[in-house]
Amino acid sequence: MSVFHLQRVLAAASTSTVLAGAVLAGATAPAAASTGGGCNGPVTGQACVGVVEADGGAEIVFEVRADLGVRAGSACRLRLVALDETTGVRWDSALVPCDRKQRQERILPNPTEGHVYRAELQILPNGKNLDSAESVPSPALSF
């Protein structure tokens, strides 16, 4: 891979990261017909949902961030759950350890008008029992 190609890849990745961060921090894309969204939860565990304008239309960005520290224990696991509350469809990410800083993101291209979307941070203290899971939901995003 040439240095020029590597610079283009890194620049594109940086631009995408900054754009997604701006949307999830509360900015809204001007052409997106959406209301709500944003982030919810304490600094140690947040769930966010927002809209970004992409080539050819809007995309929904679901994100969870967690920094529970070693107090969470070695068995603890967490994941992002992205939800279309209108249809009940959900997308679960892989379970990852709680005892280190984590960030997970999912992008939904071409969201459906009239649908309501939400992100959820799911924390499983013992790593597997969904009955004892703690959840932090994002605010609802109506698209």
Side-chain angles (χ1 to χ4, degrees):
M1 176 183 301
S2 72
V3 171
F4 178 74
H5 180 73
L6 182 58
Q7 287 173 336
R8 284 183 30 210
V9 169
L10 292 175
S14 295
T15 301
S16 298
T17 301
V18 168
L19 181 59
V23 167
L24 294 175
T28 57
S34 64
T35 59
C39 295
N40 184 41
V43 175
T44 55
Q46 293 187 329
C48 306
V49 64
V51 177
V52 295
E53 288 299 311
D55 295 337
E59 295 179 340
I60 304 292
V61 179
F62 304 91
E63 181 184 5
V64 295
R65 299 181 291 256
D67 190 2
L68 303 176
V70 294
R71 293 184 316 274
S74 61
C76 182
R77 298 288 181 264
L78 62 85
R79 67 178 165 191
L80 162 66
V81 179
L83 303 159
D84 179 338
E85 292 191 339
T86 305
T87 62
V89 173
R90 62 185 273 157
W91 302 273
D92 296 347
S93 69
L95 290 168
V96 295
C98 296
D99 60 355
R100 63 185 73 109
K101 197 172 195 174
Q102 298 285 356
R103 180 185 170 278
Q104 293 185 334
E105 178 183 277
R106 178 173 185 86
I107 296 175
L108 175 65
N110 305 314
T112 304
E113 190 174 328
H115 283 219
V116 176
Y117 298 97
R118 186 183 309 268
E120 182 178 295
L121 168 62
Q122 210 172 59
I123 303 167
L124 291 76
N126 68 3
K128 56 186 170 196
N129 189 352
L130 288 175
D131 294 334
S132 66
E134 303 167 24
S135 68
V136 178
S138 72
L141 174 83
S142 298
F143 186 76

